[in-house]
Amino acid sequence: KNGFLVRKVHADSDGKKTPRGKRGWKTFYVMLKGLVLYLQKGEYRPDKQLSEEDLKNAVSIHHSLAMKATDYSKRPNVFYLRTADWRVFLFQAPNAEQMQSWITRINTV
Ligand code: I3P
C-alpha cells in the first residue's frame, strides 16, 4: 500500500516523549512493504530511490499497533502507530477511508 500521509512523532523509543522542536507535522509518501513502512520525503516520483534519510525514517511495523486517534481532535483522519519499541507516531490520512485502510493493512500483516 502506498500514499501520502502527514506524520507527527509523539514518542521516541521506550515511550519517551519526543522533545519540542521535533514534534511538527511533516508530509511523506509512505510505502508499506512487508513489515516496513518506508517514509519518503519530498516530491513523489515512481522511479525515485530512497535516500539515506528516508531509510532512517523507515519504521518496522512488526508487533506494532495502529488505531484511530479518537482523543486527538486538532486534525481529522488521524491514527496512532505504536511500535514494538514503544515509539508513537500520529499519521493523518487524506480521508476516513484511507485512514481505515492504513490501519487495517498495518494491523493485518
Ligand atoms: C510542535 C508543532 C506541532 C504541535 C506540537 C509542537 O512544535 O507545533 O504541530 O502539535 O505540540 O510541539 P515543533 O514543530 O517545534 O516540534 P499539534 O499540532 O498536535 O498541536 P505538542 O508538543 O503539544 O504535541
Side-chain angles (χ1 to χ4, degrees):
K1 179 168 175 63
N2 300 346
F4 283 98
L5 291 174
V6 196
R7 183 208 67 184
K8 174 184 174 180
V9 188
H10 175 71
D12 300 329
S13 50
D14 302 325
K16 278 178 112 181
K17 189 174 173 180
T18 303
R20 297 189 83 175
K22 292 183 174 176
R23 302 180 57 83
W25 290 93
K26 278 185 197 159
T27 300
F28 293 91
Y29 188 76
V30 181
M31 290 163 283
L32 180 58
K33 285 186 186 164
L35 288 168
V36 182
L37 207 56
Y38 293 98
L39 288 87
Q40 195 166 40
K41 241 168 111 176
E43 223 169 280
Y44 171 69
R45 284 196 317 272
D47 59 335
K48 201 164 137 187
Q49 298 258 326
L50 289 160
S51 70
E52 238 172 88
E53 200 197 337
D54 292 334
L55 292 171
K56 281 184 199 152
N57 279 326
V59 180
S60 163
I61 59 158
H62 189 52
H63 290 167
S64 74
L65 180 70
M67 60 188 157
K68 184 173 167 40
T70 50
D71 59 346
Y72 188 85
S73 53
K74 290 181 187 175
R75 289 171 180 238
N77 310 317
V78 173
F79 65 94
Y80 287 114
L81 177 66
R82 203 213 64 217
T83 65
D85 60 354
W86 293 93
R87 287 188 288 164
V88 179
F89 301 95
L90 280 80
F91 285 103
Q92 181 185 25
N95 55 52
E97 192 193 348
Q98 280 299 309
M99 179 193 68
Q100 194 49 57
S101 159
W102 279 106
I103 291 172
T104 303
R105 285 299 302 271
I106 289 168
N107 289 341
T108 56
V109 284

